[in-house]
Amino acid sequence: MANQEAVDRTMRHIQDHMDAFDMCEWGGKWADNSCGTSACFAGHAAMAAGWTPLGNMAYAKDGTVRDASTIARHELRLTAGEAIAIFYATGITSYEELAAHIKEVLK
């Protein structure tokens, strides 16, 4: 079962950084991010859990470097199927669409 607290924390992180949320084009510009790119749901899950973006989907924390999807799947306690359905969703262009999609996947 997914970690709903971590899912909610990620959604709050996205709301607080809407200018840096992009499910359609990974790597778009984000001036407030040290690597200069936007982030999808997995990237925001990593940042909400305290990981620092390095670029190229890599994040660091306490001397460890991991990719966004590995971090997010662990932090959110998602199954492989849930992770694929959420991280690789297409056609999501708004926070509301993402929220509805996640709710559907995790029901």
Side-chain angles (χ1 to χ4, degrees), residues 23 40-43 45 68-73 76 78 82-89 101:
M23 289 289 286
C40 65
F41 184 76
S69 61
T70 299
I71 297 164
R73 184 169 176 212
L76 302 170
L78 301 175
E82 290 168 339
I84 289 168
I86 293 170
F87 302 159
Y88 300 100
H101 177 68

Side-chain angles (χ1 to χ4, degrees), residues 9-50:
R9 180 178 60 234
T10 300
M11 295 303 285
R12 283 191 305 275
H13 191 273
I14 291 170
Q15 283 183 313
D16 291 345
H17 302 92
M18 284 303 297
D19 60 325
F21 171 67
D22 192 343
M23 289 289 286
C24 297
E25 181 183 349
W26 173 79
K29 289 294 180 190
W30 179 20
D32 295 340
N33 180 334
S34 62
C35 72
T37 63
S38 62
C40 65
F41 184 76
H44 280 279
M47 288 184 282

